[in-house]
Amino acid sequence: MPTPEYYTPSVDEYRVAEEIMTEEQKRDSDERVRAFAESKPNRLNEKTGTLLHPIAEQLIEFENLPSYAEQHGFTRKPEFHFTVISNRSGKIVKERLGQLPDDERRQAVQRINEAAQKVDWSMKSGELRRVIKDYVVTNDRDDEISRERRESIIQLLDIPGIAEFYATLNEVLGTAIEPPPAHITLYSTSSDPKNISRGIGIESQAEMDGLHPEPVDLKT
């Protein structure tokens, strides 16, 4: 995947932008800057091997999304995060940690947590996408018991620092785990009413591509 190019505005462009910003916009911008600076992942969940990075609401620009989501039957997520280590990868992490002697395991967990805090998690927001995933529950005989369809509105993220974190993670554990596609689930819904707030677990870029997420057109 090619490295994304970032445009750096000139000093004059920054000055003009600041001059046309309202006081409220300036306050919102300052809040987002502070939130970015303070944004760090949780500690590694040793029971599951997973790791989440909470996202402050100030970092999300909803624009016309709330009215679009209401019109299409979506429910806003009660909290926002992006997944650093997913459930599937977490099983590998948990298994590998469980193979280590106690002292080495504690050191490994400490190094993983230190790496998560040290990495620059600056992020660039990308496109909004709608993702649909069907779930089929079966019994031991592979007989279908129930079927559910979940749909989410996600915002794609570009987080260069995640590669640095995974380099350390794989070095510590002797693994070759790939990071999941970085995104935030903003709204969700489900054919099962009790799961309307549950997102879609997307473990890999291949899985994301296979779900064929569609761009969100806020004009519709």
Side-chain angles (χ1 to χ4, degrees), residues 73 148-151 188-193 195-198:
E148 176 190 358
R149 168 165 285 195
R150 294 183 200 166
E151 185 170 1
S188 60
T189 189
S190 171
S191 59
D192 186 339
N195 288 334
I196 58 173
S197 293
R198 296 191 64 178

Side-chain angles (χ1 to χ4, degrees), residues 34-85:
R34 284 195 296 271
F36 266 123
E38 297 169 0
S39 179
K40 292 293 181 182
N42 293 332
R43 296 181 65 81
L44 180 73
N45 185 330
E46 295 183 55
K47 293 183 178 180
T48 62
T50 57
L51 182 62
L52 301 181
H53 189 311
I55 298 295
E57 186 173 331
Q58 303 98 304
L59 299 181
I60 302 173
E61 298 182 16
F62 288 98
E63 298 183 358
N64 299 323
L65 185 55
S67 58
Y68 172 94
E70 181 179 1
Q71 178 183 349
H72 291 82
F74 286 92
T75 298
R76 178 167 162 161
K77 294 285 288 183
E79 54 81 32
F80 304 109
H81 68 267
F82 73 83
T83 301
V84 180
I85 303 178

Side-chain angles (χ1 to χ4, degrees), residues 108-124:
V109 171
Q110 181 178 350
R111 287 187 62 191
I112 293 170
N113 284 324
E114 287 176 350
Q117 296 303 306
K118 183 182 70 173
V119 164
D120 179 359
W121 291 103
S122 297
M123 61 195 75
K124 180 180 178 182

Side-chain angles (χ1 to χ4, degrees), residues 3-216:
T3 302
E5 295 182 359
Y6 296 89
Y7 172 70
T8 303
S10 67
V11 174
D12 288 341
E13 286 173 317
Y14 273 124
R15 178 179 54 77
V16 171
E18 289 178 351
E19 288 176 354
I20 64 176
M21 288 174 68
T22 66
E23 288 302 316
E24 182 178 359
Q25 288 173 325
K26 290 179 181 178
R27 285 195 299 271
D28 289 344
S29 178
D30 289 342
E31 288 180 1
R32 283 196 292 273
V33 169
R34 284 195 296 271
F36 266 123
E38 297 169 0
S39 179
K40 292 293 181 182
N42 293 332
R43 296 181 65 81
L44 180 73
N45 185 330
E46 295 183 55
K47 293 183 178 180
T48 62
T50 57
L51 182 62
L52 301 181
H53 189 311
I55 298 295
E57 186 173 331
Q58 303 98 304
L59 299 181
I60 302 173
E61 298 182 16
F62 288 98
E63 298 183 358
N64 299 323
L65 185 55
S67 58
Y68 172 94
E70 181 179 1
Q71 178 183 349
H72 291 82
F74 286 92
T75 298
R76 178 167 162 161
K77 294 285 288 183
E79 54 81 32
F80 304 109
H81 68 267
F82 73 83
T83 301
V84 180
I85 303 178
S86 64
N87 289 326
R88 188 182 303 165
S89 296
K91 292 179 181 179
I92 299 174
V93 172
K94 179 181 177 182
E95 179 181 2
R96 182 69 185 114
L97 288 173
Q99 295 170 350
L100 299 175
D102 288 346
D103 287 346
E104 291 185 26
R105 179 183 58 77
R106 284 191 291 269
Q107 291 175 9
V109 171
Q110 181 178 350
R111 287 187 62 191
I112 293 170
N113 284 324
E114 287 176 350
Q117 296 303 306
K118 183 182 70 173
V119 164
D120 179 359
W121 291 103
S122 297
M123 61 195 75
K124 180 180 178 182
S125 299
E127 294 182 349
L128 295 172
R129 299 286 180 87
R130 286 179 67 163
V131 186
I132 299 174
K133 186 174 181 178
D134 292 315
Y135 294 80
V136 178
V137 178
T138 61
N139 58 23
D140 294 338
R141 300 185 302 275
D142 292 331
D143 297 323
E144 182 177 320
I145 298 176
S146 64
R147 183 179 292 268
E148 176 190 358
R149 168 165 285 195
R150 294 183 200 166
E151 185 170 1
S152 295
I153 298 176
I154 66 173
Q155 181 161 44
L156 302 180
L157 302 173
D158 175 37
I159 310 175
I162 200 168
E164 178 185 345
F165 172 77
Y166 266 80
T168 300
L169 176 71
N170 287 319
E171 177 187 350
V172 170
L173 299 179
T175 51
I177 306 171
E178 295 184 3
H183 66 280
I184 309 172
T185 300
L186 302 178
Y187 288 84
S188 60
T189 189
S190 171
S191 59
D192 186 339
K194 71 175 183 295
N195 288 334
I196 58 173
S197 293
R198 296 191 64 178
I200 296 172
I202 303 175
E203 302 281 347
S204 66
Q205 187 60 51
E207 182 177 4
M208 174 77 85
D209 294 341
L211 292 173
H212 306 292
E214 298 182 355
V216 172

